[in-house]
Every structure is written in structure tokens, then in C-alpha cells.
Amino acid sequence: MRRSRGLTAALVLSLAGAGTGLGVVLMPQASAITPPVAFTADSLPTWQPNGVVWAMAQANGTVFAGGTFSAVRPPAGGSGTEQEAVNFVALDAATGNPTPCKLAFTIGDGTATVRALAVSKDKKTLYAGGYFGAVNGTPVSSVAAIDIESCTPKASFHPAFPATVRALAVSDDTLYAAGDFGTVEGQTRERFAAVDAATGAIKPFTANADEPGRAVTLTPDGKNVLLGGDFFSVNGSNTHALAVVDAATGKVAKTYSTIPSNSVVKSIATDDGGFYTANEGSGGGVFDGRIGLRLSDFTEKWRDRCLGATQFVLPYDGVLYSSSHAHDCSTELEYPDGKRHHLLAQPTDHTGAAPAPVDGFVRGPRKLGWFPDTNDGLGEGIGPRVMAVAEKGDTKYMWVGGEFTTVNGAEQQALTRFASSGDVGAPTTPVASAASVKPGEVQVRWRTSYDADDSKLTYRIYRNGSSTPIQTMTADSLEFERPQASWTDTTVKAGQTYTYRVTATDGAGNTSALSATASVTVPASAQAYPNQVRADGAQLYWRYDDTSSPYVADSSDGGNTSGVQVNAPALRQTPGAVTGAGTAMGFNGTSQQVYSDHRQTVGSSYTLETWFKTNTTRGGKLIGFGNNTTRNSTSYDKQIYMTNTGRLVFGVYSGSTRTVSTGLLDTYNDDKWHHVVATQGPAGMALYVDGQSKGTAGYTDSASYAGYWHVGGDNLSTWPTKPTSNFFAGQIDETAVYGKVLTAAQVKNHFDLAKAPADTVSKVSPTEDTYVNQGAPSAANGAATSLAVRGNPAYETYLRFNLPAAPAGQVLKSAALQVKTTTQTGAGTADTVSVVPVTGTWSGTGTSFTTKPTLGTTPLGTFAAIPDGSAVQSTQLDTAALSAVLGGSYSMALTSTGTDPLWIWSAEATAADAAPQLVLTFGPK
């Protein structure tokens, strides 16, 4: 089976900033367009044909495109009118506009088409191949030579190719051709031939193949020719789809037998480090990907087995760009069968040691962060078919042609281009959340953003509305792999509430919008259940406290495995499974699930843990491992599911299904919360429910494959006592996965902790507030949206709260006052601000400096200083003093002895998190 790759998410902390980065590997800072990718993913305005582009070449800042079309038109929104272009157009590489060069490739009978273009080394001659009988009226026979400077066909060059020519390659003096022909100039030349590059005279080169040739390329030293196509023999030697022959004679130098019989080679390209093939096939066991081979002995280095009909490969500056509709890269441990990716990039070779062979082949280099995209388009629905790099001025352009009709979701047909500069696309906005399970720590986490041409993004974390980030860090992500990133703020205080927002910036400085605000209150003491789950080593921990779709945060210590919600499960279902803590997620039993956003393999020892509540009689999967995401997995085990009668089954696969089940009378569809844990390790399998052992088995093996965790549903076909539904109907909470076996004592401890009394937090807003001003002693300011504090001349702010009584069996464990500075310049203060009790009477609408109440002398708490910027600030208050007044109305004042005023929002303000608040934490005595 397939092997897992290592952790690919990586983060690095800046030297400035507080806190701790979690689950991370150090990496360098991002740069514009993440190297080694050389092009942005932002498509540029380009004139577009009305058909299919099959071939491209470039010379001197001009790009030549050939195919099957009759006209070109401006890009959507561009200026100009449609122009005739008969199967050929020449365009300026930098502007995308047609040049004055006009060539019409025609034929008297049938449909003319241009299938191959090649430029001589001196950049003076353009060679064209395809199926045509004339160029601008000059008679030719499916191959033509064009003088580039004058844009005219060379009448003296007209070798007779009686059938379609599909590929061309040119040396100093020889033009090589591949295609469907069986003769050239009346002489036998089956599918491959060579003619004089100047005169068109046939050369002795003979490489006869039994099926069509589709690719022909010279090795960089000019000594050999690389042949690709449908064939099974060349010059009588058995070799399928690929062969190496002598450039002068056509004698076979290397044969190949490892490309499946139902696959062909569509394109071959070389660089100084090797040569590369693009492969397409149909049917079972097909090979649709790319191969990297050595030039020294023509042996294979690696094989990328993504499925999706690769049409073209183009190595450039150490990167292999390819066009295809790659929809399944499971064999490469990348993305499962699903969305089509039409343009991909990967290194031309592995960096460092190559991975060990799997099924006899070394996996291809990992995909890079370059994901422009097209649709499948017209005709065969392949999408892009050909690529070329052109340079003009200081800018390089990647041109792409094919049968697509959209690029990056916008209308654009058959041609598009991307530049080496000018990145304008911002990353997606992070979806952030924050959680705290013990004093002194807040875990801020977000699903890494996606940027189509930058895999290394810079994230900035802003606390309490500040305009200055409290932390800056980088993380790596790809379109199909966006692991969670997290950072731990270790400067927080117990009992205080903090808010966080996150942005993502690419190397060119394009920045996403701020994430939605994530708010968290730091507990006065550790929350027993989640703190223990983290301490016991959970590698994935979904608590389902998320406030928005479609992501589920991973609360494990250092975890990077967020979840992706499918079909919008119900959020924030209450009460959750753990006493006094969090919410659950609801599933409809027909289509909803959550899958992990990180492809991995599972070791031989692991533990699955979750809580559930249901009254379903249709069963369903609670948690399991599978090799797909939104589609039914074809490999699936390491799972807990419920039968129609409410029994629980833990199953693995090791050549056959192995299960442990609860007893016939042990059913759990009673609409109550239940805790289920399954383990497998050296001692075998074990199943626990509500802290008690329900069965064991001595099986230590399970299937080994790369996949994803699923909660709420996935395939259950052929499994014992299979329920009516693959999907679970009910609520699920507190899902955790461990890379080890939890002991029976640990399982029982988790169950007990979930039912133990827990702290509760109450947030109380003022029922009245006002401030007084010594400079206007008779003025009342009760309805103002802001409040002020200063010592001289004096401003004093008064706040009245209705305090709740302590819940039964609990006491006040901590109290904090939270305020937010206004947006005006200088709203903060350099002075100490005291919070003192109010002993006199006052009203929000009638109190002035002249009638102000008496204040206490012993502070409840102090703000040492408050910086500018509209940000939330908190200070701890005297718990004993507030405990004595719980259950009643209580007033406090903000005062100062300094001259620097503080301006904060009042309860009447509409700004987010504006109103002052008391944050009260109650817990067991």
C-alpha cells in the first residue's frame, strides 16, 4: 500500500512577538511568487481563437499558435474587432495582440489543421506540420517552412508527407517529424522521418513504427532522437510508446516496456538534467501522468501517476510545467479523485534523496504552488494541450493553448498567458478561531489560506483590535493541502477576554481581508476534560465549537488537522457532551460529514475517541478512515459505526474485516450522550463505551494507505451488520485521534472528567454608564457613545452592573473588567487608570461633576496604561470584593491622577465589542 509523506505545513515565528508556534517546521520567509515557480497564476488579456490550439512555438518575442480555427477576437472587455486567422496566428508575447504576420493553412479536401510548430536554432525559420495542402496559396504537403522575418512560406521547401504530421523537432540541418504517415517522398518512412532542414530532401534516417508517432525531440547533445506515440515496435524492436534512436540512422538505442499497453506518449521535452514524457491512456490500469528520465543512460528517475490525460510537458528553470486534467493524484499522496487540475508544476527532480519505490516506481516530485486553471472546453474535453515560454524585455511569459473556453473562471478561449511578474491575486481570507483551556494560554488557529501562485504565505495576528500585529509568522499551503496553522499567545491573563483577527499576505504584498473576529475568555483554572485530552497526546481534536462553516478547528496541542464540513452540518448544538463546556455538531444522516484536511497514514497503534447522541434506527458511521474526501472512499477501515439497532461496531481490514461489537442488549440510540473509544495496538483491538470495556480482539493489523479521517459518514459497503445509512443522524462532540493506545484507566478518566463540574463564564454589560467633566461641572453626559477618564482637569467614568448570583455549588473564581478604546487619535493613555467602587448614588442621565457620587478609596483593579488604537483592554478585579455583592446592583468608577485622557466606548456605542463588560468566572467550591 502507499506510504505517507511527512508534515508539509510549516511555520516560522518572527523574532518579534510573544507566544509560541505550534506543530511547525522552520522555513524561510516568502518571496514574490514562491520559488522555484517562475510565473504568476494571474492570466493576462490575450486575443483568442474560435477553435482549438494544438501547437505553439516562439521566437524573438513573438508567439506562434497553430490549430483548427478560422478567426481570432479580442479578450473579453478588450478593444478591437475579430480578424480572420486560418488555423494560424502570430501574437506579441508581451501584449497578447496579433502581429502583422498572417498565414492561412488550407486544404482542398477535408479540414486543414496545424498540429506542430518548431523554430530553427537561428530563429529565422518556423516549421509547421499538420494536415494542409497550402500556406497562403503556396502548395505544400502537411509540412511547411516559413521565413519568420518576411512571414512568407518557402516555396522551395515542400517534402511530401501524405498524412497528418503531429510533431516536429529541428537540429542545425535536419527536421524530424512524427505522425500518421507511412511514406515520405514516396519512400517508406513509417510514422517517423527526417528531411533536410533547408531543402526538404528526405534523409536516410529510418525509425519505422507500427502505430502513430505523437512526439519527437532531440537530446541536447544532438546525438539521439526521442520518439513517443502509440507504437509497440520501432524498426522491429519491441518498445511501447517510447524509444530512443540514433539521430543519423534511426537505429534503436533504447526500448521501453513499462508504459501500459493502453497508454501513449503525447509529448517529450528535455533540459540539461533529463527528459520528460506526457502520457495519456484509457481503461483500467491506465497511466496518465509524467515520467522523468536520465539523459546519461535513458533510464527512469521517477514516475508521477496522477490520473488525467497529460498532453504536454515543459521544463523551465528546474520546474516541469504540464497540461492535463489531472483529477486523481492519490498515488502521489496528494489529492484524491475529484476536482480536475488542468495546469500543474513540480520540480524536474527530487530535492534530496528520492523516496523509496512503490510498486516498482519512484514517486514524482511533489507539486508546487502554481494553480491557474481552465475548463475542459470543446472537442474531446481535454482542456490545455500545449505550452511555450516566450521572453520580451525583462519579462517572461508562459503561454498555454488548447480547447478550453475559460481561464481562472473567466471567459477565454484556446489561448492564455501568465507573466513572471505582476502578481495581483490576494490569498483567501483566513478562517480563524481561538480557544483557551487553561490559564496563561490562548491557542489562535486558522486554516491556512490559498494563493494560486504562492505556497508560502505570511500571516499576521492582531489582538484586541490593535492595528499592530502581535505576531507575524509564515506557513506553507497548497490548493489541495491547507493544514491548520496555530500560534499560542502566552501573555494572556486568567479571567480576561481577548479577540483575534488574522490576515494572509503573499510574497508580492497582496493581503487578504481580516478574518472574522475570534473571541476567547481565558479560564481561571484548567478545563479538566479538554486539558486532559491534550495532555494525553491527541493528534487531532475537534471540539465543534466553531461559529462558521465550512471548517472545524483542531484543538490538539500542536495539531495541524482542521476539518472540512460537507453539506453544512448544524453548528453549535447545545448542550454539548462535556459538562459546562462547548457545543456539538449535528448531522442529518443522509449527506453530512466532516473530513480531515490533511492526508496521512495511520500507524499500527492508535486510538479513536468521540461522543455522540442519537435516536436513529438507521445507524451510520461515527468516525473512520478512508482514502477519499467528498466521494465515497474505496479503501476504508479503522472505523466506529452504529447498527440499525443502536449497537456499536469497531472494525479494521487486514485482508478481511475484523470487528469488535457491543452486546446484543448494549444499544446506544437512546438520545443520551455516550462516550465511545476504540484502540488498536500490539495487544490487539479494544472497544470502550462510557468508560467501560465492551470487547477485545487479538487482531493487530489493519490496511495501510494514505487517507483522511471522516466523522459522520463515509462508505460502509460489505461490512458486518451494515446499517441502512452510511451517514449518522444525531449529534457528535469532542472527537479525538491519538497516535498511541490509551489505557483503560485513561479512557475511564476521560469519561469521568466530562461529567465533573466545570467552570462557567458570565459576561455582564452595564445597565447604566456615564462620565463627568470638571471643565463643564454642570453637564450630564449620560447618552454619550464614549466615556472619558483623566485626573486633571478631572474626567471620571461610572459603570453600573446587575451582577448574577453564583450558580448552585459554585463560587466566583475570577473577575475582570473589559473596555475598548475609541478610534480617535490619542484615545489611549500613558497614565494608570484605577477601578474603584462607587459608594454614593448616581444616574446615567442626571449626574454631573457637581452632583457626582462618592468613590471608594481601595481600588478593585488597575490598568497600568492603555495604548492608542481601538482595542479591547482588560484588568483583573478584586474577586473577594465582587463576591460579596453578587446577586445585586453594583457600581464602579474609572479614575486617574494623570493629565493624559483615556477615551473608551460606552454601552450606547455600536462598534464591535464596544460596551464595557464584566467577565465573571464561576467554578466549583
Side-chain angles (χ1 to χ4, degrees):
M1 303 294 288
R2 293 169 294 221
R3 306 184 311 113
S4 79
R5 60 177 179 274
L7 177 67
T8 56
L11 309 174
V12 60
L13 302 183
S14 65
L15 295 178
T20 306
L22 298 177
V24 302
V25 177
L26 295 180
M27 62 166 51
Q29 290 288 330
S31 60
I33 311 174
T34 305
V37 171
F39 306 95
T40 80
D42 303 312
S43 58
L44 300 174
T46 306
W47 278 59
Q48 50 191 325
N50 61 354
V52 178
V53 170
W54 294 97
M56 283 199 297
Q58 64 83 30
N60 309 317
T62 298
V63 172
F64 308 105
T68 311
F69 50 85
S70 61
V72 292
R73 64 189 186 277
S79 60
T81 58
E82 185 173 274
Q83 301 178 13
E84 183 180 63
V86 183
N87 301 316
F88 175 87
V89 63
L91 304 108
D92 186 285
T95 66
N97 299 332
T99 72
C101 178
K102 309 291 183 185
L103 297 171
F105 288 76
T106 58
I107 196 165
D109 185 21
T111 301
T113 184
V114 175
R115 294 299 180 104
L117 293 170
V119 172
S120 61
K121 290 186 176 181
D122 62 9
K123 305 296 184 182
K124 293 181 178 180
T125 303
L126 171 68
Y127 296 94
Y131 182 67
F132 46 83
V135 182
N136 284 0
T138 298
V140 292
S141 183
S142 294
V143 171
I146 313 297
D147 180 75
I148 292 177
E149 184 177 6
S150 64
C151 188
T152 57
K154 296 182 178 181
S156 61
F157 185 92
H158 48 76
F161 284 79
T164 302
V165 172
R166 299 183 179 275
L168 296 171
V170 61
S171 68
D172 291 332
D173 58 3
T174 303
L175 179 69
Y176 297 88
D180 301 347
F181 49 86
T183 63
V184 178
E185 291 290 310
Q187 299 186 39
T188 299
R189 294 291 189 273
E190 296 178 335
R191 283 82 187 196
F192 295 97
V195 299
D196 188 279
T199 67
I202 192 166
K203 289 203 166 189
F205 175 92
T206 301
N208 291 330
D210 59 337
E211 296 290 344
R214 296 180 181 272
V216 59
T217 302
L218 281 152
T219 55
D221 62 8
K223 295 180 179 180
N224 292 282
V225 178
L226 311 170
L227 311 180
D230 301 18
F231 51 81
F232 290 86
S233 70
V234 175
N235 289 344
S237 297
N238 292 331
T239 183
H240 175 53
L242 182 65
V244 182
V245 299
D246 181 86
T249 66
K251 180 181 178 181
V252 175
K254 176 72 175 178
T255 61
Y256 296 88
S257 60
T258 58
I259 296 175
S261 61
N262 57 355
S263 297
V264 303
V265 170
K266 299 295 292 289
S267 165
I268 303 175
T270 67
D271 64 8
D272 291 339
F275 68 101
Y276 314 89
T277 69
N279 305 273
E280 176 189 67
S282 60
V286 67
F287 172 51
D288 262 354
R290 293 153 293 284
I291 303 176
L293 302 102
R294 301 174 182 87
L295 286 169
S296 57
D297 59 5
F298 309 123
T299 58
E300 184 171 318
K301 296 187 293 184
W302 53 260
R303 180 173 297 210
D304 184 315
R305 290 182 288 171
C306 290
L307 295 176
T310 305
Q311 301 298 301
F312 201 81
V313 286
L314 175 59
Y316 183 78
D317 275 359
V319 174
L320 185 66
Y321 298 89
S322 59
S323 60
S324 67
H325 55 243
H327 57 87
D328 185 353
C329 287
S330 298
T331 58
E332 304 307 295
L333 304 183
E334 291 171 339
Y335 55 87
D337 195 11
K339 175 185 174 182
R340 293 186 170 201
H341 297 75
H342 295 88
L343 296 168
L344 293 173
Q346 61 196 124
T348 52
D349 210 346
H350 289 284
T351 56
V358 177
D359 299 331
F361 300 106
V362 175
R363 227 173 27 246
R366 181 170 169 75
K367 304 300 182 298
L368 298 168
W370 188 70
F371 295 100
D373 205 13
T374 73
N375 65 354
D376 289 347
L378 307 169
E380 297 178 39
I382 293 292
R385 287 187 174 273
V386 65
M387 313 170 84
V389 173
E391 184 172 352
K392 193 164 186 180
D394 295 328
T395 306
K396 302 174 181 65
Y397 300 90
M398 168 67 77
W399 282 72
V400 178
E403 55 195 1
F404 50 85
T405 57
T406 66
V407 177
N408 292 340
E411 177 186 332
Q412 178 68 23
Q413 183 172 351
L415 279 173
T416 190
R417 62 201 175 97
F418 309 93
S420 58
S421 60
D423 182 9
V424 297
T428 58
T429 302
V431 178
S433 62
S436 179
V437 300
K438 62 183 179 181
E441 285 189 7
V442 167
Q443 184 192 44
V444 185
R445 59 276 175 102
W446 60 96
R447 191 194 194 212
T448 46
S449 296
Y450 165 60
D451 188 274
D453 43 31
D454 285 280
S455 58
K456 296 176 184 178
L457 300 176
T458 299
Y459 297 90
R460 292 177 175 85
I461 305 168
Y462 299 87
R463 188 173 77 177
N464 291 347
S466 173
S467 59
T468 301
I470 189 173
Q471 185 63 25
T472 299
M473 56 204 303
T474 62
D476 206 18
S477 59
L478 297 169
E479 186 208 35
F480 56 84
E481 186 172 81
R482 295 168 58 187
Q484 177 176 290
S486 59
W487 170 74
T488 298
D489 187 350
T490 56
T491 64
V492 295
K493 298 179 181 178
Q496 298 190 24
T497 299
Y498 297 86
T499 61
Y500 299 89
R501 302 183 80 180
V502 182
T503 63
T505 303
D506 67 15
N510 302 304
T511 300
S512 73
L514 280 162
S515 70
T517 299
S519 180
V520 61
T521 299
V522 182
S525 58
Q527 296 176 1
Y529 182 87
N531 190 54
Q532 193 63 51
V533 169
R534 287 162 56 93
D536 283 343
Q539 297 175 339
L540 176 156
Y541 185 20
W542 295 343
R543 304 201 64 200
Y544 307 110
D545 297 333
D546 309 274
T547 59
S548 62
S549 295
Y551 310 122
V552 175
D554 181 2
S555 294
S556 64
D557 186 4
N560 69 336
T561 310
S562 58
V564 180
Q565 302 165 31
V566 178
N567 294 322
L571 304 181
R572 303 193 65 77
Q573 304 296 289
T574 56
V578 177
T579 301
T583 60
M585 182 171 284
F587 298 83
N588 63 10
T590 59
S591 63
Q592 295 172 339
Q593 61 158 309
V594 175
Y595 67 85
S596 61
D597 199 23
H598 178 58
R599 189 180 183 93
Q600 63 183 98
T601 57
V602 181
S604 59
S605 295
Y606 61 90
T607 296
L608 314 180
E609 177 178 39
T610 197
W611 289 77
F612 66 92
K613 183 173 73 169
T614 185
N615 59 5
T616 185
T617 58
R618 301 179 71 246
K621 183 175 291 190
L622 289 166
I623 181 174
F625 194 70
N627 68 341
N628 213 306
T629 53
T630 58
R631 300 185 181 186
N632 265 351
S633 294
T634 54
S635 296
Y636 46 97
D637 76 330
K638 293 175 275 292
Q639 58 193 7
I640 303 171
Y641 60 93
M642 178 175 280
T643 70
N644 288 349
T645 62
R647 297 174 64 199
L648 295 174
V649 181
F650 168 41
V652 300
Y653 181 81
S654 58
S656 60
T657 57
R658 308 291 190 180
T659 61
V660 178
S661 306
T662 58
L664 293 175
L665 300 179
D666 289 335
T667 58
Y668 301 95
N669 54 349
D670 56 2
D671 210 24
K672 297 179 181 178
W673 280 111
H674 294 284
H675 178 233
V676 59
V677 177
T679 69
Q680 187 179 27
M685 302 166 64
L687 177 65
Y688 304 85
V689 181
D690 295 339
Q692 302 298 315
S693 174
K694 293 297 179 180
T696 61
Y699 305 117
T700 59
D701 295 331
S702 64
S704 177
Y705 56 93
Y708 309 84
W709 291 109
H710 293 255
V711 169
D714 194 14
N715 207 347
L716 281 170
S717 297
T718 74
W719 279 78
T721 57
K722 177 185 178 297
T724 301
S725 175
N726 289 340
F727 293 88
F728 177 78
Q731 294 181 8
I732 296 178
D733 200 5
E734 302 289 332
T735 300
V737 177
Y738 306 77
K740 64 180 181 180
V741 173
L742 292 187
T743 66
Q746 287 175 308
V747 172
K748 180 64 163 59
N749 185 41
H750 287 197
F751 176 73
D752 292 340
L753 289 175
K755 299 306 176 184
D759 291 353
T760 58
V761 177
S762 294
K763 296 182 179 181
V764 186
S765 296
T767 56
E768 285 189 281
D769 57 24
T770 191
Y771 77 97
V772 297
N773 179 3
Q774 187 178 21
S778 300
N781 301 291
T785 59
S786 59
L787 304 168
V789 182
R790 184 172 61 190
N792 183 26
Y795 292 148
E796 294 176 357
T797 284
Y798 310 124
L799 308 171
R800 179 176 288 117
F801 298 93
N802 286 337
L803 302 182
Q810 295 190 340
V811 296
L812 183 66
K813 299 179 73 173
S814 71
L817 175 64
Q818 174 179 299
V819 297
K820 185 176 185 180
T821 49
T822 69
T823 54
Q824 71 185 65
T825 302
T829 180
D831 299 329
T832 297
V833 174
S834 297
V835 184
V836 297
V838 175
T839 58
T841 60
W842 62 281
S843 70
T845 57
T847 297
S848 66
F849 190 83
T850 303
T851 61
K852 68 176 184 171
T854 303
L855 306 182
T857 57
T858 302
L860 300 169
T862 58
F863 294 93
I866 294 178
D868 279 356
S870 186
V872 175
Q873 308 291 333
S874 294
T875 187
Q876 201 72 21
L877 301 182
D878 187 327
T879 304
L882 289 180
S883 295
V885 294
L886 292 175
S889 178
Y890 187 72
S891 294
M892 59 185 67
L894 300 180
T895 66
S896 173
T897 59
T899 58
D900 188 10
L902 168 69
W903 291 92
I904 60 174
W905 294 116
S906 73
E908 288 75 24
T910 58
D913 305 309
Q917 285 191 326
L918 277 181
V919 182
L920 307 175
T921 301
F922 298 96
K925 294 181 180 179

